[in-house]
Amino acid sequence: MHDCGRTHLHGTDDPAGHMCQLAAQEIPDALTLRLSLNYETSPSLQEAATVNYEWQFDVVWENFPFLLSGVGTTVGLAILSMLAGGVLGMAVALARISRLRILRVPAYCYTELFRTTPIVVQIMWVYWVLPILAGVTLSGFHTGLVALSLNVAAFMAEIYRAGIMSINRGQTEASLALGMTSSQMMRRIIIPQAITRMIPPMGTMWVSLFKDTAIISAIGVTELMFQAQYLAVDTYRPLEIFTVTAVIYFVITYPQSLGVNFLYKKFRTQE
């Protein structure tokens, strides 16, 4: 399937890419406008919406492979963002607890910036502003990957930092008294213990990230939500399309949520 991300800031020579970009901009507005106009001007639709709406899921089943084609992008984007955000988050967390002010201050500003601004704003900034400031133009998928990774890293940094700071200070002093360097103390004593306290919130972060990938549909990435929006406009059956889409998200996410609950109970018992 064609990548609907923008390949050039001021246009593209690829007709398919141009069509996908237009679709990304027009689908949400077109869907809202059509539903609003049809509902307001048709008494039969008003009556159906309040009394006896006829569900037609056959439209969904006919286009089910097309809808599912976005699942791979959703899962892949979530996994890559979590991995990149986890690695970057550890670096930021270590900078936050560093004795060097030159490391602490930028790390603090970074985490607060990305934790206190909407993720959709971050995505749009990377998509539209980064090419202007840095001359770097990313596809829709890579824009989503960068924005989500930066957002996840900010939250993961706080999870790491909280886990590390929760370890009794006496263990730090004992490690240093035994002649360990700071890096040896972190690797051998602090981080192994802190990991058990980090895993439950990390699991929660993962489940949240998986759902947040739906926001990437705003820039034309052909993930699950984008496919659902496209079908909703094309078939005029948004209720059925989005109902099934919600079920798909639930089926994929619920087992992960159960796993997070299991980890939480397991490691809470061990503390």
Side-chain angles (χ1 to χ4, degrees):
M1 180 170 293
H2 191 277
D3 180 5
C4 284
R6 180 255 302 111
T7 54
H8 297 284
L9 180 62
H10 299 293
T12 176
D13 295 329
D14 180 5
H18 180 66
M19 291 179 65
C20 285
Q21 183 178 352
L22 290 177
Q25 298 170 350
E26 299 295 336
I27 282 176
D29 292 340
L31 176 59
T32 302
L33 179 60
R34 288 181 181 180
L35 287 176
S36 176
L37 290 177
N38 288 339
Y39 182 83
E40 293 176 359
T41 59
S42 175
S44 61
L45 281 182
Q46 294 178 2
E47 180 180 355
T50 57
V51 180
N52 188 27
Y53 180 80
E54 295 183 3
W55 297 83
Q56 297 182 14
F57 284 100
D58 56 313
V59 174
V60 182
W61 310 136
E62 292 172 2
N63 297 278
F64 201 57
F66 177 81
L67 186 62
L68 286 181
S69 65
V71 173
T73 301
T74 296
V75 174
L77 190 59
I79 292 175
L80 292 175
S81 299
M82 191 67 181
L83 291 175
V87 173
L88 178 58
M90 177 58 75
V92 174
L94 294 177
R96 284 291 311 272
I97 62 178
S98 172
R99 296 179 180 179
L100 300 176
R101 183 179 177 84
I102 194 173
L103 295 178
R104 289 200 316 271
V105 172
Y108 171 80
C109 294
Y110 167 79
T111 55
E112 293 307 308
L113 174 64
F114 280 90
R115 291 171 62 224
T116 57
T117 54
I119 188 171
V120 67
V121 173
Q122 299 165 17
I123 292 170
M124 292 301 177
W125 195 93
V126 174
Y127 193 68
W128 295 112
V129 181
L130 188 62
I132 297 174
L133 295 182
V136 177
T137 303
L138 302 176
S139 68
F141 180 87
H142 290 99
T143 295
L145 178 59
V146 169
L148 289 176
S149 297
L150 292 174
N151 181 270
V152 169
F155 286 93
M156 291 294 291
E158 289 302 287
I159 292 174
Y160 292 146
R161 187 174 72 92
I164 292 172
M165 298 299 290
S166 69
I167 303 302
N168 192 295
R169 185 172 179 80
Q171 298 193 42
T172 301
E173 296 173 349
S175 302
L176 295 175
L178 290 174
M180 291 186 181
T181 64
S182 296
S183 60
Q184 289 175 331
M185 175 190 66
M186 293 296 295
R187 291 198 314 269
R188 300 177 182 179
I189 306 298
I190 304 301
I191 291 181
Q193 296 181 74
I195 284 177
T196 60
R197 305 181 183 187
M198 298 175 189
I199 288 179
M202 287 171 62
T204 301
M205 187 69 208
W206 160 254
V207 174
S208 177
L209 171 64
F210 189 86
K211 296 180 294 181
D212 287 344
T213 57
I215 303 175
I216 306 300
S217 63
I219 56 174
V221 179
T222 54
E223 47 73 64
L224 179 57
M225 182 55 68
F226 182 89
Q227 303 296 78
Q229 292 174 343
Y230 187 94
L231 280 180
V233 173
D234 189 57
T235 62
Y236 291 89
R237 308 302 300 184
L239 300 185
E240 292 86 342
I241 297 295
F242 289 123
T243 297
V244 172
T245 301
V247 171
I248 294 173
Y249 273 109
F250 176 81
V251 169
I252 298 175
T253 306
Y254 184 63
Q256 302 173 34
S257 180
L258 293 178
V260 170
N261 292 337
F262 171 78
L263 291 175
Y264 177 76
K265 293 177 181 178
K266 177 179 175 63
F267 290 108
R268 183 180 62 177
T269 302
Q270 291 180 355
E271 291 181 356

